[in-house]
Amino acid sequence: MKSYTYKQPAAIESTEAIVILNDAEEISSTVQRVYSNGLKKAFDRTMDYRYFVRFDVSDVTGQPLFTCKKMSRRGRVHFKGKDFVLGKEYMIAYDGWQIMIPDLIITDGVQKITLNKEMEDWSVFSLDDQPIARWQAIFQETHFEITLQIEDNSPIQHEAFFIAIGQAVLFVGA
């Protein structure tokens, strides 16, 4: 199992680049909340920083690996992910709006990964009802200590996929 950790500032509006450490405590990538322009950032302030949500994960040289962006259309919310390494696009949508904390479905049109969203425990990514990764944020006074664990049998082994989705969907949310 691969494990990654990082410290996310408690303020969801933070746009600083956050370093992600691997098992060996080496920097493996960075994650950053991004606004395409200042007008969007200003407008987002009035919407409690939850309308324009986009997180980019880059490698240590700054090359983009994965991005996850919130999309709002006609009152429906979903997220789009883009894997820059494989060139794949993902749709992330809520499954079961009627329940208090609905699961999410992540699909590239072929694979269908579910994300069981938990507020106080591990949020688990599953493929064919088998856990492939888990993401957890524990609040400290000034930041969240976030841990990602990726199972050895996961078809997706790079942390950028799980971290970008985790930041956009689990940390900020809808």
Side-chain angles (χ1 to χ4, degrees):
M1 176 183 303
K2 293 181 184 174
S3 188
Y4 300 89
T5 59
Y6 57 103
K7 294 180 181 182
Q8 172 68 44
I12 66 171
E13 71 272 15
S14 174
T15 57
E16 73 177 271
I18 308 299
V19 297
I20 299 162
L21 304 175
N22 61 20
D23 288 327
E25 305 253 338
E26 299 167 332
I27 298 173
S28 66
S29 55
T30 62
V31 63
Q32 183 174 22
R33 184 170 188 167
V34 177
Y35 290 96
S36 58
N37 62 57
L39 185 59
K40 283 185 178 180
K41 188 174 183 177
F43 179 73
D44 205 30
R45 183 179 313 120
T46 66
M47 302 297 286
D48 200 26
Y49 296 101
R50 294 184 188 277
Y51 190 80
F52 291 105
V53 179
R54 179 179 140 199
F55 282 90
D56 292 352
V57 178
S58 302
D59 68 13
V60 292
T61 66
Q63 290 292 106
L65 298 173
F66 199 94
T67 188
C68 187
K69 179 180 179 181
K70 181 178 178 181
M71 310 295 288
S72 298
R73 300 276 191 259
R74 296 183 203 103
R76 301 207 71 180
V77 174
H78 69 278
F79 296 82
K80 282 189 176 180
K82 170 100 177 173
D83 184 327
F84 294 108
V85 177
L86 300 177
K88 286 187 176 184
E89 293 194 9
Y90 293 87
M91 170 76 77
I92 302 116
Y94 288 99
D95 182 34
W97 279 100
Q98 295 84 355
I99 56 178
M100 186 66 99
I101 303 175
D103 287 344
L104 287 113
I105 303 297
I106 304 162
T107 185
D108 62 359
V110 179
Q111 283 184 342
K112 185 173 153 183
I113 297 169
T114 57
L115 173 55
N116 179 280
K117 188 175 180 178
E118 291 290 335
M119 302 309 279
E120 301 292 326
D121 200 3
W122 290 97
S123 292
V124 178
F125 294 82
S126 299
L127 178 64
D128 299 326
D129 294 322
Q130 296 298 312
I132 59 171
R134 59 194 56 75
W135 186 97
Q136 182 180 46
I138 298 173
F139 181 70
Q140 303 300 330
E141 290 184 33
T142 59
H143 65 280
F144 286 89
E145 290 185 6
I146 300 177
T147 303
L148 167 69
Q149 296 175 340
I150 304 172
E151 297 287 344
D152 294 334
N153 66 344
S154 174
I156 299 168
Q157 286 293 315
H158 64 88
E159 76 272 14
F161 173 90
F162 300 106
I163 289 174
I165 293 171
Q167 286 295 112
V169 175
L170 301 172
F171 180 67
V172 175

